């Protein structure tokens, strides 16, 4: 498995992949580790998460540089990603005990009834390259806190990041087998999901990968969480502050070089301010610096792989052929690296590639609408349902509008983002299940009902006392 710098096309390193025997050993180690890990006190597990957070903070520059070299993330954004991983570890170190404490539920007056939340076992995480540390840690922190153990199948272009994640957890004192990285191909995933030693699976990735993983998990009657693609609407109402909204919109679309599931992708703009917004938006996009991702002044780096750049270029060409207009960008950058010009398309037809497919790179599609009714219709006219945002000077109006979005993450006057304190996930073809917050930590646990009867008398065993019992 090779690591290639997308800014230069040069090989960074090569890594020995794991074979069938290695996988079998890892699964056995995970199963054994789970028996001990689940019996450890919550306080102990939380202490190790706190230590992990400390190490991440100490190694911000080291891990940021690794990300930047392996997948091209601008360096300051890479540092922010490592710090966010520390945050999610700190969050569950502080909150996991409360989120998983026994829940008393009132039932019969002569019984004590409750729900306990018990870990399931080894969980397989299949993670993407675009946020190589964050995507993994938003799985790791809640699941290790809950008493599960993790197996990571990371994207094949970030093997260095995958091993660094394993390293920092080991250095924090996590016992052997509590978290392991598997350097394997996607073709080996089905057999791992089917293995009796794996209790569940989570995937962040494409719709196609999600369907395959969800199908296999369903066949094995194992729980799964899928966070798939998005084509997030960014709705600009007629009373939105144009300059401020355009500035936020440019960042919402182009952070991480546009390679984000929750990036704003379809800009749906009220006709009354359409021309003014487009002018301000293009100015903001053209002001961003494209360049070497290790340079502190770079806003937009290379795309992660040349083939991804080619796919984006094809989507733009098909959208232009369908009748859209090109205002800026629209071409690959000459020279080394998988760079693509930041691109703005306007008058984008609703049935064109950029409006119906996920565009995973630095291109924004702008669609004109006549009123709020048409705006929400266009916003929801997609197979995806991950995130959505609306921009307005009237917060009450914004909230009423946001409640109409068919999406899992709905924001008013803020770009769509993940936050450890709030559930994260989508609907429709964007997947199911939730990560983060108390919702995420309860995805891979057994919500166990416990009934403790206070007394057992003659009346309790009468035929009448069991009338209607299933």
């Amino acid at each position: 498995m090779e690591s290639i710098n997308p800014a230069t096309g040069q090989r960074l390193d090569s890594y020995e992949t794991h074979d069938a025997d290695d996988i079998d050993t890892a699964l056995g180690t995970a199963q054994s580790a789970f028996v001990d890990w689940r019996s450890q006190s919550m306080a102990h597990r939380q202490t190790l998460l706190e230590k992990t957070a400390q190490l991440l903070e100490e190694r911000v520059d080291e891990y940021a540089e690794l990300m930047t070299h392996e997948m091209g993330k601008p360096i300051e954004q890479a540092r922010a990603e490592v710090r966010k991983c520390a945050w999610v570890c700190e969050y569950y170190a502080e909150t996991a005990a409360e989120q998983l404490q026994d829940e008393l539920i009132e039932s019969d007056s002569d019984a004590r009834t409750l729900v306990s939340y018990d870990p399931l076992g080894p969980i397989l995480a299949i993670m993407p390259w675009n946020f190589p540390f964050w995507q993994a840690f938003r799985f790791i922190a809640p699941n290790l806190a809950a008493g599960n153990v993790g197996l990571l199948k990371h994207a094949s272009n970030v093997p260095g990041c995958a091993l660094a994640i394993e390293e920092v957890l080991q250095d924090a004192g996590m016992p052997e087998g509590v978290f392991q990285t598997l350097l394997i191909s996607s073709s080996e995933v089905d057999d791992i999901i089917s293995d009796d030693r794996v209790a569940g699976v989570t995937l962040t990735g494409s719709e196609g990968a999600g369907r395959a993983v969800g199908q296999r998990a369903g066949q094995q009657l194992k729980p799964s969480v899928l966070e798939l693609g998005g084509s997030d609407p960014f709705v600009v109402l007629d009373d939105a502050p144009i300059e401020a909204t355009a500035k936020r919109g440019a960042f919402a679309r182009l952070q991480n070089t546009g390679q984000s599931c929750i990036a704003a992708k379809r800009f749906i703009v009220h006709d009354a301010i359409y021309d003014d917004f487009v002018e301000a938006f293009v100015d903001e996009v053209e002001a961003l610096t494209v360049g070497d991702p290790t340079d502190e002044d770079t806003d937009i780096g290379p795309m992660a792989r040349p083939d991804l750049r080619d796919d984006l270029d094809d989507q733009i060409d098909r959208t232009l052929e369908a009748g859209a207009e090109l205002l800026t960008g629209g071409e690959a950058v000459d020279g080394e690296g998988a760079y693509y010009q930041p691109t703005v398309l306007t008058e984008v037809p609703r049935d064109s590639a950029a409006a119906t497919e996920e565009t995973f790179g630095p291109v924004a599609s702008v669609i004109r609408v006549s009123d709020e009714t048409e705006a929400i219709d266009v916003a929801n006219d997609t197979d995806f349902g991950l995130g959505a945002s609306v921009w307005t000077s009237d917060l009450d109006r914004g909230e009423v509008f946001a409640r109409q979005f068919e999406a899992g993450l709905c924001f008013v006057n803020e770009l769509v983002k993940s936050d450890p304190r709030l559930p994260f996930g989508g609907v429709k073809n964007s997947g199911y299940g939730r990560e983060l917050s108390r919702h995420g930590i309860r995805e891979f646990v057994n919500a166990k009902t416990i009934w403790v009867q206070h007394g057992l008398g003659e009346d309790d065993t009468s035929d009448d006392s069991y009338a209607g019992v299933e």
Side-chain angles (χ1 to χ4, degrees):
M1 189 174 291
E2 290 193 333
S3 175
I4 305 294
N5 186 335
T8 64
Q10 300 300 308
R11 184 176 71 88
L12 296 168
D13 208 341
S14 60
Y15 299 83
E16 196 76 26
T17 56
H18 293 116
D19 60 20
D21 289 340
D22 296 326
I23 295 171
D24 183 67
T25 298
L27 292 175
T29 301
Q31 186 180 44
S32 298
F34 172 63
V35 174
D36 178 67
W37 184 244
R38 69 178 301 177
S39 67
Q40 296 294 316
S41 69
M42 174 63 78
H44 177 63
R45 297 199 293 263
Q46 289 176 294
T47 296
L48 294 184
L49 281 178
E50 289 176 353
K51 179 60 175 176
T52 302
Q54 293 169 6
L55 291 179
L56 287 166
E57 291 283 3
E58 293 171 7
R59 301 175 184 179
V60 164
D61 290 336
E62 175 187 347
Y63 293 151
E65 290 173 6
L66 176 59
M67 266 189 280
T68 296
H69 286 122
E70 280 206 317
M71 55 75 57
K73 190 184 300 288
I75 189 64
E76 186 52 41
Q77 296 178 34
R79 293 192 192 102
E81 181 170 336
V82 180
R83 294 188 182 102
K84 193 169 185 178
C85 294
W87 180 22
V88 77
C89 290
E90 291 168 350
Y91 171 77
Y92 282 108
E94 295 171 359
T95 63
E98 182 274 328
Q99 291 168 344
L100 293 178
Q101 68 182 346
D102 290 350
E103 181 181 357
L104 296 176
I105 299 177
E106 186 174 340
S107 59
D108 286 4
S109 59
D110 57 351
R112 179 173 178 266
T113 50
L114 59 93
V115 176
S116 68
Y117 297 96
D118 297 346
L120 295 181
I123 308 297
L124 174 66
I126 305 165
M127 294 291 115
W129 48 263
N130 58 330
F131 289 87
F133 270 70
W134 170 244
Q135 304 278 16
F137 270 98
R138 77 183 190 198
F139 155 76
I140 290 165
N143 277 283
L144 267 56
N148 293 316
V149 302
L151 296 157
L152 173 64
K153 188 279 179 215
H154 219 322
S156 60
N157 60 327
V158 288
C161 291
L163 292 173
I165 292 167
E166 182 180 71
E167 171 193 61
V168 73
L169 291 165
Q170 290 175 348
D171 291 350
M174 296 290 176
E176 181 183 1
V178 166
F179 180 85
Q180 299 173 83
T181 282
L182 297 174
L183 297 183
I184 59 175
S185 68
S186 297
S187 63
E188 295 166 285
V189 165
D190 276 359
D191 287 344
I192 296 176
I193 296 174
S194 299
D195 194 288
D196 290 340
R197 292 168 289 187
V198 171
V201 58
T202 181
L203 172 139
T204 298
S206 69
E207 179 186 341
R211 290 183 183 277
V213 167
Q215 181 181 35
R216 179 53 62 117
Q219 289 172 341
Q220 302 300 317
L221 299 179
K222 294 179 180 180
S224 59
V225 170
L226 304 179
E227 193 267 281
L228 310 179
S231 185
D232 288 9
F234 184 107
V235 178
V236 185
L237 298 182
D238 56 350
D239 64 345
I242 292 173
E243 298 296 332
T245 303
K247 186 176 184 65
R248 294 296 282 167
F251 183 77
R253 171 62 276 205
L254 296 172
Q255 64 164 322
N256 203 38
T257 313
Q259 300 168 124
S260 170
C261 295
I262 55 173
K265 298 186 175 80
R266 295 176 297 133
F267 289 76
I268 301 165
V269 184
H270 195 290
D271 181 65
I273 61 169
Y274 182 90
D275 292 336
D276 290 340
F277 175 81
V278 168
E279 181 180 359
F281 183 60
V282 171
D283 286 345
E284 293 290 345
V285 169
E286 291 182 339
L288 296 173
T289 300
V290 180
D292 182 349
T294 65
D295 190 322
E296 299 288 345
D297 294 327
T298 293
D299 301 303
I300 300 174
M303 295 184 65
R305 299 196 312 263
D307 62 302
L308 299 172
R309 180 184 61 180
D310 294 342
D311 290 343
L312 183 70
D313 191 51
D314 175 67
Q315 289 176 308
I316 291 171
D317 286 345
R318 286 187 285 122
T319 303
L320 292 173
E321 290 171 2
E325 297 180 8
L326 175 66
L327 291 194
T328 189
E331 293 183 355
V333 177
D334 291 335
E336 289 184 338
Y339 289 90
Y340 200 89
Q341 296 174 347
T343 300
V344 177
L345 305 175
T346 59
E347 308 298 347
V348 174
R350 289 175 58 174
D351 60 352
S352 64
T356 60
E357 302 171 10
E358 181 177 31
T359 50
F360 215 66
V363 56
S365 301
V366 188
I367 303 169
R368 185 194 304 262
V369 293
S370 59
D371 55 29
E372 283 189 47
T373 300
E374 185 180 7
I376 194 63
D377 179 59
V378 174
N380 291 334
D381 185 20
T382 174
D383 293 333
F384 297 104
L386 189 53
S389 64
V390 59
W391 301 76
T392 173
S393 294
D394 185 336
L395 297 183
D396 291 336
R397 181 188 186 191
E399 183 172 343
V400 169
F401 192 97
R403 288 178 179 273
Q404 301 175 72
F405 283 132
E406 295 172 358
L409 310 161
C410 304
F411 287 70
V412 179
N413 291 351
E414 180 59 291
L415 57 88
V416 178
K417 58 186 179 181
S418 57
D419 185 312
R421 299 164 295 188
L422 297 170
F424 182 94
V427 295
K428 299 196 285 189
N429 287 355
S430 291
Y432 53 75
R434 292 295 181 265
E435 298 176 285
L436 303 176
S437 77
R438 71 170 57 242
H439 299 75
I441 201 171
R442 292 182 176 184
E443 284 287 358
F444 293 106
V445 296
N446 174 17
K448 182 189 297 182
T449 296
I450 298 177
W451 182 299
V452 182
Q453 192 68 32
H454 289 167
L456 182 62
E458 292 183 2
D459 290 342
D460 296 320
T461 57
S462 66
D463 290 341
D464 288 344
S465 69
Y466 294 101
V469 172
E470 182 178 10

